[in-house]
Amino acid sequence: MKLKIVKGTRDLFGDEVSSFQFLEDKAREVFSLYGYEEIRTPMFERTELFAHGVGQDTDIVGKEMFLLEDRRGRSMALRPEMTASVVRSVITGNHMQQAKHRRFYYMGPMFRYEQPQKGRFRQFYQIGAEYFGVSTPDSDAELLLMLRQFFKAVNLKTVSFQLNSIGCQKPECRPSFKKSLVEFLTQQKEHLCENCTRRLDTNPLRVLDCKEESCIAVTKDAPKIYEHICEECSHHFTELRSILDDHGVVYTLNHKLVRGLDYYSRTVFEVYSENLGAQNAAGGGGRYDSLFEIYGSPIIPALGFALGLDRLAMLIDMEAQKPEGIFVIGHDRRVVNRLVSNCREAGYKTLYDPFQSSMKSQFRQANKANVYHVLILGDDELKEGKVSVKNMTTSDQTSVAIDQVIGHIKSELSPEK
Ligand code: AMP
Protein backbone atom coordinates (compact mmCIF):
# COMPACT_ATOMS: atom_id res chain seq x y z
CA MET A 1 0.00 0.00 0.00
CA LYS A 2 1.37 3.38 -1.00
CA LEU A 3 0.60 5.99 1.67
CA LYS A 4 -0.50 9.38 0.46
CA ILE A 5 -1.75 12.46 2.24
CA VAL A 6 -5.31 13.45 1.32
CA LYS A 7 -5.55 16.26 -1.27
CA GLY A 8 -6.05 19.68 0.29
CA THR A 9 -4.80 18.58 3.72
CA ARG A 10 -1.36 18.97 5.24
CA ASP A 11 0.59 18.10 8.36
CA LEU A 12 1.50 21.03 10.52
CA PHE A 13 4.85 21.05 12.29
CA GLY A 14 7.93 23.19 12.92
CA ASP A 15 7.65 26.93 12.24
CA GLU A 16 4.07 26.67 11.05
CA VAL A 17 2.95 25.13 14.33
CA SER A 18 4.89 27.82 16.22
CA SER A 19 3.02 30.50 14.26
CA PHE A 20 -0.32 28.78 14.91
CA GLN A 21 0.42 28.56 18.63
CA PHE A 22 1.51 32.19 18.75
CA LEU A 23 -1.69 33.37 17.03
CA GLU A 24 -3.88 31.12 19.19
CA ASP A 25 -2.22 32.33 22.41
CA LYS A 26 -2.64 35.98 21.43
CA ALA A 27 -6.28 35.41 20.46
CA ARG A 28 -6.97 33.84 23.87
CA GLU A 29 -5.19 36.72 25.58
CA VAL A 30 -6.95 39.52 23.69
CA PHE A 31 -10.41 37.95 23.43
CA SER A 32 -10.55 37.27 27.15
CA LEU A 33 -9.94 40.99 27.79
CA TYR A 34 -13.29 41.54 26.06
CA GLY A 35 -15.10 38.94 28.16
CA TYR A 36 -15.07 36.06 25.67
CA GLU A 37 -14.99 32.46 26.84
CA GLU A 38 -13.84 29.51 24.74
CA ILE A 39 -16.36 27.11 23.25
CA ARG A 40 -15.49 23.76 21.63
CA THR A 41 -18.24 22.16 19.57
CA PRO A 42 -18.17 18.78 17.76
CA MET A 43 -16.28 18.46 14.49
CA PHE A 44 -19.44 17.19 12.78
CA GLU A 45 -23.11 18.06 12.98
CA ARG A 46 -26.31 17.02 11.24
CA THR A 47 -26.09 18.26 7.64
CA GLU A 48 -29.37 20.17 7.95
CA LEU A 49 -27.82 22.51 10.52
CA PHE A 50 -25.59 23.98 7.82
CA ALA A 51 -28.07 23.51 4.97
CA HIS A 52 -30.66 25.65 6.76
CA GLY A 53 -28.36 28.10 8.47
CA VAL A 54 -25.63 28.76 5.94
CA GLY A 55 -28.10 28.56 3.04
CA GLN A 56 -28.86 26.14 0.21
CA ASP A 57 -27.68 28.51 -2.48
CA THR A 58 -24.22 29.08 -1.06
CA ASP A 59 -21.10 27.39 -2.41
CA ILE A 60 -20.41 25.96 1.02
CA VAL A 61 -23.66 24.01 1.18
CA GLY A 62 -24.14 23.53 -2.55
CA LYS A 63 -20.86 21.85 -3.33
CA GLU A 64 -18.26 22.16 -0.61
CA MET A 65 -19.46 20.09 2.32
CA PHE A 66 -17.78 16.86 3.35
CA LEU A 67 -20.72 14.57 3.99
CA LEU A 68 -20.85 11.30 5.91
CA GLU A 69 -23.66 8.91 6.49
CA ASP A 70 -23.97 7.34 9.92
CA ARG A 71 -25.02 3.71 10.38
CA ARG A 72 -28.66 4.65 10.41
CA GLY A 73 -28.39 6.50 7.13
CA ARG A 74 -28.52 10.00 8.64
CA SER A 75 -26.53 12.65 6.82
CA MET A 76 -23.75 14.30 8.82
CA ALA A 77 -21.39 17.06 7.70
CA LEU A 78 -17.87 17.90 8.81
CA ARG A 79 -18.26 21.50 9.94
CA PRO A 80 -17.51 23.93 7.09
CA GLU A 81 -17.68 26.89 9.51
CA MET A 82 -18.55 27.27 13.16
CA THR A 83 -21.16 29.99 13.54
CA ALA A 84 -24.00 27.53 12.88
CA SER A 85 -22.54 25.11 15.44
CA VAL A 86 -22.16 27.79 18.12
CA VAL A 87 -25.72 28.99 17.53
CA ARG A 88 -26.90 25.37 17.74
CA SER A 89 -25.07 25.08 21.05
CA VAL A 90 -26.66 28.29 22.38
CA ILE A 91 -30.10 26.88 21.49
CA THR A 92 -29.65 23.26 22.60
CA GLY A 93 -27.67 24.23 25.70
CA ASN A 94 -29.97 27.12 26.66
CA HIS A 95 -26.90 29.29 27.15
CA MET A 96 -28.90 32.52 27.01
CA GLN A 97 -30.92 31.55 30.05
CA GLN A 98 -27.94 32.23 32.28
CA ALA A 99 -27.18 35.70 30.96
CA LYS A 100 -28.66 38.35 28.70
CA HIS A 101 -25.55 38.46 26.62
CA ARG A 102 -22.82 35.89 26.01
CA ARG A 103 -19.53 36.01 24.19
CA PHE A 104 -17.79 32.91 22.86
CA TYR A 105 -14.61 32.37 20.90
CA TYR A 106 -13.38 29.23 19.19
CA MET A 107 -10.45 27.88 17.25
CA GLY A 108 -10.09 24.69 15.28
CA PRO A 109 -10.26 22.91 11.95
CA MET A 110 -13.02 23.41 9.35
CA PHE A 111 -13.61 21.37 6.21
CA ARG A 112 -14.61 22.49 2.73
CA TYR A 113 -14.35 20.58 -0.53
CA GLU A 114 -12.67 23.39 -2.44
CA GLN A 115 -10.04 23.36 -5.19
CA PRO A 116 -6.80 23.59 -3.18
CA GLN A 117 -4.32 26.37 -3.97
CA LYS A 118 -1.96 28.65 -2.03
CA GLY A 119 -3.83 29.64 1.14
CA ARG A 120 -6.82 27.42 0.33
CA PHE A 121 -7.15 23.95 1.82
CA ARG A 122 -9.80 21.32 2.34
CA GLN A 123 -8.97 21.15 6.04
CA PHE A 124 -8.18 24.64 7.22
CA TYR A 125 -8.20 26.39 10.58
CA GLN A 126 -10.17 29.29 11.92
CA ILE A 127 -10.18 31.48 14.99
CA GLY A 128 -13.55 33.08 15.51
CA ALA A 129 -15.80 34.87 17.97
CA GLU A 130 -19.55 35.20 18.39
CA TYR A 131 -21.36 37.81 20.48
CA PHE A 132 -24.99 37.10 21.41
CA GLY A 133 -27.77 39.24 22.85
CA VAL A 134 -26.87 42.81 21.93
CA SER A 135 -28.23 44.67 18.91
CA THR A 136 -26.74 48.14 19.38
CA PRO A 137 -24.00 49.39 17.05
CA ASP A 138 -21.55 49.55 19.98
CA SER A 139 -21.37 45.77 19.89
CA ASP A 140 -20.47 45.79 16.19
CA ALA A 141 -17.82 48.40 16.95
CA GLU A 142 -16.53 46.38 19.91
CA LEU A 143 -15.95 43.39 17.68
CA LEU A 144 -13.90 45.44 15.24
CA LEU A 145 -11.96 47.04 18.07
CA MET A 146 -11.15 43.59 19.42
CA LEU A 147 -9.92 42.53 15.99
CA ARG A 148 -7.79 45.63 15.71
CA GLN A 149 -6.26 44.88 19.12
CA PHE A 150 -5.61 41.28 18.11
CA PHE A 151 -3.85 42.34 14.91
CA LYS A 152 -1.76 44.78 16.91
CA ALA A 153 -0.87 42.06 19.42
CA VAL A 154 0.40 39.78 16.65
CA ASN A 155 2.17 42.71 15.01
CA LEU A 156 0.25 42.49 11.75
CA LYS A 157 0.33 45.80 10.00
CA THR A 158 -0.66 44.79 6.49
CA VAL A 159 -4.34 44.16 7.22
CA SER A 160 -7.20 46.46 6.33
CA PHE A 161 -10.93 46.44 7.10
CA GLN A 162 -13.71 46.73 4.56
CA LEU A 163 -17.19 47.51 5.72
CA ASN A 164 -20.71 47.41 4.34
CA SER A 165 -24.30 47.16 5.53
CA ILE A 166 -26.62 44.77 3.75
CA GLY A 167 -29.75 45.85 5.63
CA CYS A 168 -32.48 43.58 6.91
CA GLN A 169 -35.33 41.44 5.63
CA LYS A 170 -38.05 44.10 5.97
CA PRO A 171 -39.75 44.56 2.56
CA GLU A 172 -38.55 48.17 2.22
CA CYS A 173 -34.95 47.20 3.01
CA ARG A 174 -32.87 44.43 1.39
CA PRO A 175 -35.76 42.89 -0.60
CA SER A 176 -36.52 46.27 -2.17
CA PHE A 177 -32.82 46.84 -2.94
CA LYS A 178 -32.63 43.37 -4.49
CA LYS A 179 -35.41 44.34 -6.90
CA SER A 180 -33.59 47.46 -8.07
CA LEU A 181 -30.36 45.49 -8.31
CA VAL A 182 -32.00 42.81 -10.46
CA GLU A 183 -33.46 45.52 -12.71
CA PHE A 184 -30.03 47.10 -13.06
CA LEU A 185 -28.28 43.78 -13.73
CA THR A 186 -30.92 42.52 -16.16
CA GLN A 187 -30.17 45.46 -18.45
CA GLN A 188 -26.62 44.13 -18.81
CA LYS A 189 -27.37 40.45 -18.53
CA GLU A 190 -25.36 39.53 -21.62
CA HIS A 191 -22.14 40.69 -19.88
CA LEU A 192 -22.63 38.55 -16.77
CA CYS A 193 -20.87 35.20 -16.36
CA GLU A 194 -22.88 31.98 -16.48
CA ASN A 195 -22.98 31.66 -12.68
CA CYS A 196 -24.20 35.20 -12.21
CA THR A 197 -26.92 34.83 -14.86
CA ARG A 198 -28.25 32.03 -12.64
CA ARG A 199 -27.70 34.09 -9.48
CA LEU A 200 -29.96 36.82 -10.89
CA ASP A 201 -32.83 34.53 -9.92
CA THR A 202 -31.40 32.76 -6.89
CA ASN A 203 -29.12 35.18 -5.03
CA PRO A 204 -28.58 38.47 -6.92
CA LEU A 205 -26.48 40.01 -4.12
CA ARG A 206 -23.78 37.43 -4.83
CA VAL A 207 -23.31 38.96 -8.31
CA LEU A 208 -21.78 41.94 -6.52
CA ASP A 209 -18.84 39.93 -5.19
CA CYS A 210 -18.25 37.82 -8.32
CA LYS A 211 -14.56 37.78 -9.23
CA GLU A 212 -15.10 37.47 -13.04
CA GLU A 213 -13.79 40.58 -14.80
CA SER A 214 -16.90 41.07 -16.93
CA CYS A 215 -19.11 40.99 -13.81
CA ILE A 216 -16.78 43.35 -11.94
CA ALA A 217 -17.17 45.81 -14.83
CA VAL A 218 -20.96 45.52 -14.74
CA THR A 219 -21.32 45.94 -10.97
CA LYS A 220 -18.93 48.91 -10.77
CA ASP A 221 -21.88 51.29 -11.23
CA ALA A 222 -24.47 49.14 -9.48
CA PRO A 223 -26.66 50.88 -6.88
CA LYS A 224 -24.99 50.95 -3.48
CA ILE A 225 -26.83 48.86 -0.91
CA TYR A 226 -25.89 51.00 2.08
CA GLU A 227 -27.59 53.95 0.39
CA HIS A 228 -30.84 51.99 -0.04
CA ILE A 229 -31.38 50.25 3.29
CA CYS A 230 -34.28 51.12 5.63
CA GLU A 231 -34.09 53.97 8.09
CA GLU A 232 -33.31 51.83 11.13
CA CYS A 233 -30.54 49.92 9.37
CA SER A 234 -29.16 53.16 8.00
CA HIS A 235 -29.14 54.68 11.49
CA HIS A 236 -27.33 51.59 12.85
CA PHE A 237 -24.70 51.89 10.13
CA THR A 238 -24.16 55.64 10.66
CA GLU A 239 -23.81 55.11 14.42
CA LEU A 240 -21.34 52.28 13.91
CA ARG A 241 -19.23 54.37 11.55
CA SER A 242 -19.17 57.28 13.95
CA ILE A 243 -18.04 55.03 16.87
CA LEU A 244 -15.31 53.57 14.66
CA ASP A 245 -14.22 57.08 13.69
CA ASP A 246 -14.15 58.08 17.37
CA HIS A 247 -11.77 55.21 18.04
CA GLY A 248 -9.65 55.93 15.00
CA VAL A 249 -10.45 52.60 13.34
CA VAL A 250 -9.44 52.80 9.71
CA TYR A 251 -11.73 51.07 7.20
CA THR A 252 -13.01 51.47 3.68
CA LEU A 253 -16.62 51.20 2.57
CA ASN A 254 -17.16 48.46 0.03
CA HIS A 255 -20.67 48.34 -1.36
CA LYS A 256 -19.88 45.09 -3.14
CA LEU A 257 -19.08 43.23 0.06
CA VAL A 258 -22.02 40.91 0.78
CA ARG A 259 -20.34 37.82 2.34
CA GLY A 260 -21.44 34.55 0.82
CA LEU A 261 -23.82 33.36 3.48
CA ASP A 262 -27.57 33.89 3.74
CA TYR A 263 -27.69 34.58 7.45
CA TYR A 264 -26.09 38.01 7.55
CA SER A 265 -27.98 41.23 8.23
CA ARG A 266 -26.86 44.82 8.59
CA THR A 267 -23.11 45.01 9.27
CA VAL A 268 -20.74 42.88 7.22
CA PHE A 269 -16.99 43.24 7.11
CA GLU A 270 -13.86 41.57 5.84
CA VAL A 271 -10.20 41.78 6.67
CA TYR A 272 -7.72 41.78 3.80
CA SER A 273 -4.00 41.69 3.34
CA GLU A 274 -2.21 42.48 0.12
CA ASN A 275 0.56 40.11 1.18
CA LEU A 276 -1.68 37.07 0.75
CA GLY A 277 -1.78 36.88 -3.04
CA ALA A 278 -4.94 35.70 -4.77
CA GLN A 279 -6.58 34.41 -1.58
CA ASN A 280 -6.29 37.80 0.11
CA ALA A 281 -9.16 37.56 2.61
CA ALA A 282 -7.77 36.95 6.08
CA GLY A 283 -11.19 36.87 7.70
CA GLY A 284 -14.68 38.19 7.73
CA GLY A 285 -17.86 38.47 9.69
CA GLY A 286 -20.91 40.48 10.49
CA ARG A 287 -24.27 40.61 12.18
CA TYR A 288 -26.72 37.75 11.85
CA ASP A 289 -29.79 38.73 13.85
CA SER A 290 -32.09 36.40 11.90
CA LEU A 291 -30.18 33.13 12.19
CA PHE A 292 -31.93 32.03 15.39
CA GLU A 293 -35.28 32.56 13.66
CA ILE A 294 -34.19 30.32 10.79
CA TYR A 295 -33.73 27.56 13.39
CA GLY A 296 -37.20 28.20 14.80
CA SER A 297 -35.88 29.78 17.99
CA PRO A 298 -36.79 33.19 19.44
CA ILE A 299 -34.67 35.92 17.87
CA ILE A 300 -31.39 36.68 19.61
CA PRO A 301 -29.28 39.46 18.12
CA ALA A 302 -25.87 38.10 17.20
CA LEU A 303 -22.67 38.93 15.43
CA GLY A 304 -19.27 37.41 14.92
CA PHE A 305 -16.26 36.83 12.73
CA ALA A 306 -13.91 34.09 11.60
CA LEU A 307 -10.25 34.51 10.75
CA GLY A 308 -8.30 32.12 8.54
CA LEU A 309 -5.50 30.88 10.77
CA ASP A 310 -3.58 29.27 7.89
CA ARG A 311 -3.49 32.61 6.10
CA LEU A 312 -2.59 34.66 9.17
CA ALA A 313 0.25 32.23 9.84
CA MET A 314 1.60 33.03 6.36
CA LEU A 315 1.61 36.73 7.23
CA ILE A 316 3.27 36.90 10.59
CA ASP A 317 6.95 37.26 10.82
CA MET A 318 7.98 35.13 13.75
CA GLU A 319 10.82 36.63 15.69
CA ALA A 320 13.95 34.49 15.60
CA GLN A 321 13.58 32.06 18.47
CA LYS A 322 15.66 32.97 21.50
CA PRO A 323 18.06 30.26 22.71
CA GLU A 324 16.31 28.12 25.27
CA GLY A 325 17.04 25.09 27.40
CA ILE A 326 19.93 22.71 27.85
CA PHE A 327 21.80 20.10 25.79
CA VAL A 328 23.66 17.40 27.71
CA ILE A 329 26.72 15.88 26.05
CA GLY A 330 28.56 12.76 27.25
CA HIS A 331 29.33 9.08 26.78
CA ASP A 332 28.27 7.61 30.08
CA ARG A 333 24.63 6.85 29.27
CA ARG A 334 23.62 6.47 32.93
CA VAL A 335 25.14 9.75 34.09
CA VAL A 336 23.81 11.59 31.02
CA ASN A 337 20.30 10.20 31.57
CA ARG A 338 20.33 11.14 35.25
CA LEU A 339 21.45 14.69 34.53
CA VAL A 340 18.89 15.04 31.73
CA SER A 341 16.12 13.90 34.11
CA ASN A 342 17.27 16.25 36.86
CA CYS A 343 17.22 19.21 34.48
CA ARG A 344 13.78 18.32 33.10
CA GLU A 345 12.35 17.84 36.57
CA ALA A 346 13.76 21.23 37.54
CA GLY A 347 11.67 22.69 34.70
CA TYR A 348 14.21 23.11 31.89
CA LYS A 349 13.70 21.93 28.35
CA THR A 350 16.57 19.44 28.00
CA LEU A 351 17.88 17.58 24.95
CA TYR A 352 20.60 14.98 24.41
CA ASP A 353 21.77 12.60 21.71
CA PRO A 354 19.93 9.30 22.18
CA PHE A 355 22.42 7.57 19.85
CA GLN A 356 25.44 8.68 21.90
CA SER A 357 27.42 9.54 18.75
CA SER A 358 30.98 10.86 18.91
CA MET A 359 31.57 13.87 21.18
CA LYS A 360 32.25 15.94 18.05
CA SER A 361 28.88 15.04 16.60
CA GLN A 362 27.14 15.73 19.91
CA PHE A 363 28.75 19.19 20.01
CA ARG A 364 27.47 19.81 16.50
CA GLN A 365 23.93 18.82 17.51
CA ALA A 366 24.11 21.02 20.60
CA ASN A 367 25.13 24.00 18.46
CA LYS A 368 22.23 23.43 16.09
CA ALA A 369 19.68 23.00 18.88
CA ASN A 370 19.76 26.72 19.81
CA VAL A 371 19.99 25.99 23.53
CA TYR A 372 21.14 28.37 26.25
CA HIS A 373 23.44 25.96 28.09
CA VAL A 374 25.46 22.94 27.05
CA LEU A 375 26.45 20.55 29.85
CA ILE A 376 29.54 18.54 29.05
CA LEU A 377 30.25 15.23 30.77
CA GLY A 378 33.67 14.35 29.31
CA ASP A 379 36.10 11.78 30.78
CA ASP A 380 37.93 14.41 32.88
CA GLU A 381 34.68 15.83 34.28
CA LEU A 382 33.40 12.34 35.17
CA LYS A 383 36.60 11.52 37.06
CA GLU A 384 36.16 14.64 39.19
CA GLY A 385 32.36 14.34 39.60
CA LYS A 386 31.97 17.62 37.75
CA VAL A 387 30.21 19.05 34.68
CA SER A 388 31.46 21.75 32.36
CA VAL A 389 28.68 24.25 31.88
CA LYS A 390 28.96 26.25 28.68
CA ASN A 391 26.83 29.37 28.35
CA MET A 392 26.09 29.44 24.62
CA THR A 393 25.24 33.14 24.50
CA THR A 394 28.51 34.31 26.11
CA SER A 395 30.64 31.21 25.33
CA ASP A 396 31.83 31.25 28.98
CA GLN A 397 32.59 27.80 30.35
CA THR A 398 32.67 26.90 34.07
CA SER A 399 33.31 23.67 35.88
CA VAL A 400 30.61 22.87 38.44
CA ALA A 401 30.03 19.90 40.78
CA ILE A 402 27.34 17.61 39.32
CA ASP A 403 24.98 18.10 42.26
CA GLN A 404 25.25 21.89 41.95
CA VAL A 405 24.51 22.20 38.24
CA ILE A 406 20.82 23.08 38.61
CA GLY A 407 21.59 25.78 41.19
CA HIS A 408 24.28 27.21 38.90
CA ILE A 409 21.94 27.31 35.89
CA LYS A 410 19.18 28.85 37.98
CA SER A 411 21.45 31.62 39.19
CA GLU A 412 22.68 32.32 35.63
CA LEU A 413 19.12 32.57 34.36
CA SER A 414 17.70 34.51 37.30
CA PRO A 415 16.21 37.86 36.25
CA GLU A 416 18.24 39.77 38.90
CA LYS A 417 21.46 39.00 37.08
P1 AMP B 1 -15.50 32.76 5.37
O1 AMP B 1 -16.42 32.80 6.52
O2 AMP B 1 -15.81 31.72 4.35
O3 AMP B 1 -15.25 34.12 4.74
O4 AMP B 1 -14.10 32.33 6.00
C1 AMP B 1 -13.42 33.17 6.90
C2 AMP B 1 -11.93 33.07 6.61
O5 AMP B 1 -11.51 31.71 6.69
C3 AMP B 1 -11.54 33.51 5.21
O6 AMP B 1 -11.37 34.91 5.14
C4 AMP B 1 -10.24 32.77 5.02
O7 AMP B 1 -9.17 33.48 5.62
C5 AMP B 1 -10.46 31.48 5.77
N1 AMP B 1 -10.82 30.40 4.84
C6 AMP B 1 -12.03 30.12 4.31
N2 AMP B 1 -11.96 29.04 3.51
C7 AMP B 1 -10.67 28.62 3.53
C8 AMP B 1 -9.96 27.53 2.92
N3 AMP B 1 -10.56 26.64 2.14
N4 AMP B 1 -8.64 27.42 3.19
C9 AMP B 1 -8.00 28.31 4.00
N5 AMP B 1 -8.63 29.33 4.61
C10 AMP B 1 -9.94 29.49 4.39
Side-chain angles (χ1 to χ4, degrees):
M1 177 186 177
K2 194 163 171 243
L3 294 182
K4 263 169 88 181
I5 190 159
V6 174
K7 184 173 172 180
T9 70
R10 68 208 201 282
D11 301 313
L12 298 168
F13 56 94
D15 288 349
E16 205 170 5
V17 163
S18 304
S19 303
F20 268 53
Q21 287 172 340
F22 171 72
L23 289 159
E24 288 165 354
D25 290 349
K26 290 290 175 195
R28 286 200 166 89
E29 214 174 285
V30 174
F31 296 178
S32 61
L33 297 178
Y34 287 74
Y36 282 76
E37 45 182 320
E38 184 165 355
I39 186 164
R40 301 185 191 200
T41 63
M43 219 71 85
F44 63 97
E45 300 267 359
R46 287 174 183 254
T47 304
E48 67 220 32
L49 177 79
F50 303 111
H52 285 154
V54 179
Q56 295 285 2
D57 188 52
T58 56
D59 289 346
I60 293 183
V61 169
K63 51 182 198 249
E64 291 172 1
M65 276 207 286
F66 273 95
L67 300 176
L68 335 154
E69 210 171 71
D70 76 2
R71 290 189 179 218
R72 294 220 205 136
R74 289 171 298 206
S75 177
M76 305 284 159
L78 296 185
R79 60 184 191 199
E81 56 111 49
M82 237 178 95
T83 300
S85 304
V86 180
V87 167
R88 195 266 311 132
S89 171
V90 168
I91 296 171
T92 57
N94 275 325
H95 300 325
M96 298 306 287
Q97 266 182 0
Q98 295 139 40
K100 279 194 178 144
H101 58 94
R102 297 291 298 260
R103 296 178 177 93
F104 292 107
Y105 74 86
Y106 60 81
M107 42 190 74
M110 311 292 152
F111 308 86
R112 293 184 196 171
Y113 201 93
E114 291 189 273
Q115 213 35 52
Q117 53 169 275
K118 183 171 177 258
R120 201 205 273 161
F121 310 95
R122 290 188 174 171
Q123 173 168 335
F124 62 100
Y125 297 79
Q126 286 186 335
I127 295 182
E130 314 290 350
Y131 186 0
F132 300 104
V134 187
S135 58
T136 53
D138 337 18
S139 49
D140 306 44
E142 186 190 289
L143 209 66
L144 286 157
L145 285 171
M146 182 166 92
L147 271 175
R148 184 178 66 167
Q149 191 163 343
F150 169 71
F151 288 127
K152 197 163 166 225
V154 298
N155 212 8
L156 258 184
K157 295 190 190 83
T158 56
V159 291
S160 60
F161 290 118
Q162 294 196 0
L163 190 66
N164 192 15
S165 174
I166 57 167
C168 67
Q169 292 291 8
K170 274 194 290 188
E172 70 271 28
C173 200
R174 190 155 73 218
S176 149
F177 172 78
K178 268 190 191 169
K179 270 192 213 135
S180 359
L181 181 67
V182 170
E183 269 166 34
F184 171 87
L185 294 172
T186 312
Q187 285 162 19
Q188 312 199 47
K189 199 170 171 181
E190 71 273 19
H191 301 299
L192 295 178
C193 73
E194 206 179 304
N195 256 340
C196 283
T197 316
R198 188 178 47 80
R199 283 174 181 147
L200 264 185
D201 297 321
T202 56
N203 196 348
L205 284 186
R206 285 296 310 278
V207 179
L208 291 173
D209 76 353
C210 178
K211 303 288 177 279
E212 290 291 329
E213 266 182 33
S214 55
C215 298
I216 293 176
V218 170
T219 52
K220 190 165 60 72
D221 300 319
K224 293 186 170 60
I225 187 162
Y226 57 76
E227 288 173 358
H228 291 81
I229 49 184
C230 70
E231 218 178 298
E232 275 174 70
C233 288
S234 179
H235 180 68
H236 185 99
F237 197 45
T238 314
E239 275 287 291
L240 167 61
R241 291 179 58 191
S242 107
I243 302 170
L244 293 178
D245 292 343
D246 276 353
H247 285 83
V249 176
V250 183
Y251 61 87
T252 47
L253 286 183
N254 177 358
H255 72 98
K256 291 186 174 191
L257 179 68
V258 293
R259 307 275 300 141
L261 318 182
D262 282 355
Y263 56 56
Y264 285 106
S265 55
R266 292 193 170 167
T267 317
V268 287
F269 58 88
E270 280 195 348
V271 189
Y272 292 94
S273 173
E274 280 156 27
N275 299 8
L276 280 173
Q279 299 300 315
N280 64 351
R287 182 167 275 288
Y288 49 91
D289 292 347
S290 51
L291 183 54
F292 281 84
E293 207 180 5
I294 293 175
Y295 290 132
S297 157
I299 295 181
I300 294 173
L303 68 161
F305 63 77
L307 302 173
L309 190 47
D310 313 73
R311 294 186 192 172
L312 292 181
M314 286 159 61
L315 288 177
I316 57 164
D317 214 355
M318 290 293 285
E319 267 178 45
Q321 295 263 317
K322 292 201 185 97
E324 185 208 2
I326 298 166
F327 200 106
V328 180
I329 289 176
H331 274 318
D332 188 321
R333 194 178 276 274
R334 258 190 48 230
V335 187
V336 167
N337 284 346
R338 198 170 336 116
L339 190 54
V340 167
S341 290
N342 288 347
C343 294
R344 287 175 175 164
E345 281 163 21
Y348 297 106
K349 166 182 167 183
T350 309
L351 306 172
Y352 70 106
D353 174 14
F355 305 113
Q356 302 248 289
S357 337
S358 67
M359 289 298 262
K360 203 169 146 199
S361 157
Q362 291 191 38
F363 269 112
R364 225 180 295 125
Q365 294 175 50
N367 270 325
K368 253 177 85 180
N370 196 25
V371 289
Y372 201 91
H373 287 107
V374 176
L375 307 186
I376 306 151
L377 286 162
D379 294 341
D380 294 346
E381 283 91 349
L382 279 178
K383 258 187 245 148
E384 295 173 29
K386 291 198 160 173
V387 186
S388 295
V389 179
K390 183 166 181 187
N391 181 322
M392 298 299 277
T393 57
T394 60
S395 294
D396 291 346
Q397 190 162 317
T398 343
S399 180
V400 183
I402 285 197
D403 54 0
Q404 283 168 23
V405 172
I406 302 289
H408 176 84
I409 287 174
K410 264 195 192 132
S411 73
E412 277 220 345
L413 294 176
S414 73
E416 299 92 66
K417 276 205 74 167

